[in-house]
Amino acid sequence: MNVRHQVPLAPLTTLGIGGSAETLVEYRDPGSFFDVVQLVHEHGGQPVALGGGSNVLASDAGCRGPVIHMTTCGITLREAPDGDGVLVTAEAGHPLQDLVETTVAECLTGIETLVGIPGTVGATPVQNVGAYGQEVGDTLVEVDAWDWQQNRAVTLDAAACRLGHRTSVFKHTARWTLLRVTLRLTRSKLSRPIDYRAVADHLGVAPGTRVLLDDAARAVLAVRRSKGMVLDPTDPDNRSAGSVFLSPQLDPPQAAALRARGIPLHDFSDGTTRVSSSWLIKDAGFTLGQQLAPGIRISSKQYTLIAEGPATSAAFAQATEVIATQVHRETGVLLRPELDLLGSESTYERLQIQ
Ligand SMILES: Cc1cc2nc3c(=O)[nH]c(=O)nc-3n(C[C@H](O)[C@H](O)[C@H](O)COP(=O)(O)OP(=O)(O)OC[C@H]3O[C@@H](n4cnc5c(N)ncnc54)[C@H](O)[C@@H]3O)c2cc1C
């Protein structure tokens, strides 16, 4: 465990924005979380976890409560006692990319299309991370966590995590710090069926085909790269938090109106119909590369926000407001932010678009 004070948050986030954490506790040795708890109690304030910083906007005012930087690493594999697949447990700070690569190399299917998503394993249940037809909720068995409300270690099974579309019981609350995540994967050299058309097209197969795991992962990575959804330090669009807005759920009249405008919609297994926020932003008249606030512009590859130079969280919030207002005016659909705020309340309120 390592404790530092007045630590700039910007370098710890992919947007590269934000003030300082008054206290930053690095949790890097699995098993030593009681030391972290003791330290947090000594410092006081509501602790908040930080993984790879790829889904947060750190406030310009920084963070007064202790920030727990999750850097623990480790993966264990064991046959499931009931004989149904392999249980894969990863420490919360473990990079998701490495977990995906490890499971693909071990011929385990279930998370191969999550390749290329930045961040840590511990953050994946928070917003039920997903892409190209798979989400972590498909394979989640349980999480081990520290419950700051009950002040004890707990294990929550998948049902208790209440996973939904980019949400869970952990979203928008700092009550739990997730310490370990256990998934149930299936032994197979083949991927799950490739349902996503862009990935199937890249592979030259019909949607629904199963392909070699490695081929599936490489195809997803290629499609993600073409959309600027893989972080690359040499790319001018690198300072990104991925999708800034959730894919909004549509009621039937909204869905009919958007279909009539030729916007593709997605029907999900939970019965909801959603539209990608990128489509709405494009349809509302924004253009690639468009500057929206000082240091904040739309990416040159897709309709999400990018930071440049000495950008601020205030400017980022202003840009989200500009987009959400125009999208609402043009399409009648309300956009909600996907990313979380680290720090001051006021910017967070501005992100909850009116
Ligand atoms: C280029 C790019 C592409 C992306 N593509 C996708 C995608 O395809 N699909 C997708 O779902 N997401 C995507 N994301 C968003 C992001 O990568 C994921 O949400 C990821 O899981 C965040 O992990 P992180 O470790 O960086 O979390 P952070 O950004 O550090 O934290 C995110 C939230 O989780 C909380 N948190 C983090 N760790 C813990 C923990 N151990 N316990 C409790 N709370 C915790 C934080 O407090 C914060 O509220 C993308 C982001 C980028 C930049």
Side-chain angles (χ1 to χ4, degrees):
M1 192 181 63
N2 176 21
V3 185
R4 288 179 293 151
H5 299 283
Q6 299 307 332
V7 182
L9 287 166
L12 301 179
T13 73
T14 55
L15 276 172
I17 287 177
S20 294
E22 229 166 85
T23 305
L24 188 124
V25 184
E26 186 185 355
Y27 173 53
R28 63 179 175 209
D29 304 317
S32 67
F33 200 72
F34 284 112
D35 297 341
V36 175
V37 173
Q38 204 173 352
L39 207 123
V40 163
H41 286 320
E42 278 166 22
H43 280 273
Q46 173 66 60
V48 63
L50 176 66
S54 63
N55 206 33
V56 288
L57 173 65
S59 160
D60 297 329
C63 211
R64 272 200 295 278
V67 175
I68 306 172
H69 192 201
M70 308 296 292
T71 62
T72 47
C73 283
I75 301 174
T76 57
L77 310 180
R78 67 200 152 98
E79 297 298 326
D82 59 7
D84 182 10
V86 175
L87 298 181
V88 179
T89 300
E91 294 295 328
H94 203 99
L96 175 62
Q97 176 67 16
D98 185 72
L99 177 66
V100 175
E101 284 170 5
T102 303
T103 56
V104 167
E106 291 282 337
C107 290
L108 296 171
T109 174
I111 54 171
E112 57 275 11
T113 68
L114 304 189
V115 68
I117 300 179
T120 56
V121 175
T124 58
V126 174
Q127 69 152 0
N128 189 16
V129 160
Y132 299 97
Q134 292 176 351
E135 47 189 21
V136 80
D138 300 338
T139 52
L140 185 71
V141 176
E142 62 187 23
V143 305
D144 296 320
W146 184 264
D147 181 340
W148 293 98
Q149 195 168 306
Q150 298 188 54
N151 217 23
R152 66 183 181 94
V154 293
T155 299
L156 280 79
D157 65 16
C161 295
R162 286 199 260 132
L163 301 163
H165 180 76
R166 299 296 161 269
T167 191
S168 74
V169 72
F170 311 113
K171 188 84 181 166
H172 297 319
T173 170
R175 174 173 168 181
W176 294 275
T177 299
L178 276 60
L179 305 178
R180 261 175 308 280
V181 174
T182 298
L183 309 175
R184 185 192 296 271
L185 303 184
T186 309
R187 278 207 190 283
S188 172
K189 288 186 174 162
L190 296 182
S191 68
R192 301 265 161 109
I194 300 293
D195 291 329
Y196 224 86
R197 180 161 287 281
V199 180
D201 287 351
H202 185 87
L203 286 160
V205 300
T209 307
R210 298 179 69 189
V211 299
L212 288 175
L213 271 179
D214 200 38
D215 289 347
R218 268 189 285 144
V220 169
L221 211 47
V223 172
R224 290 186 71 96
R225 278 218 173 85
S226 70
K227 297 180 174 179
M229 285 302 268
V230 178
L231 290 179
D232 171 357
T234 63
D235 185 342
D237 290 340
N238 190 46
R239 281 174 63 189
S240 149
S243 301
V244 172
F245 299 101
L246 293 164
S247 300
Q249 184 179 337
L250 304 171
D251 59 29
Q254 282 174 327
L258 292 182
R259 274 203 179 96
R261 290 165 81 144
I263 297 181
L265 309 184
H266 302 285
D267 294 318
F268 283 82
S269 51
D270 62 1
T272 59
T273 299
R274 294 176 183 275
V275 58
S276 126
S277 57
S278 307
W279 268 102
L280 291 179
I281 297 169
K282 181 180 179 198
D283 191 66
F286 291 97
T287 52
L288 292 176
Q290 185 178 345
Q291 194 79 29
L292 295 179
I296 307 292
R297 63 167 170 82
I298 293 180
S299 156
S300 60
K301 298 181 197 68
Q302 61 139 343
Y303 291 85
T304 192
L305 292 176
I306 300 294
E308 271 177 333
T312 62
S313 67
F316 194 92
Q318 186 190 332
T320 60
E321 219 169 320
V322 169
I323 290 181
T325 307
Q326 194 162 319
V327 165
H328 188 237
R329 195 173 52 232
E330 296 295 323
T331 68
V333 180
L334 213 53
L335 289 178
R336 303 248 173 237
E338 175 181 314
L339 75 175
D340 289 337
L341 191 93
L342 212 57
S344 125
E345 287 294 308
S346 59
T347 316
Y348 185 73
E349 278 156 17
R350 286 192 64 193
L351 277 178
Q352 305 298 303
I353 315 302
Q354 305 315 308

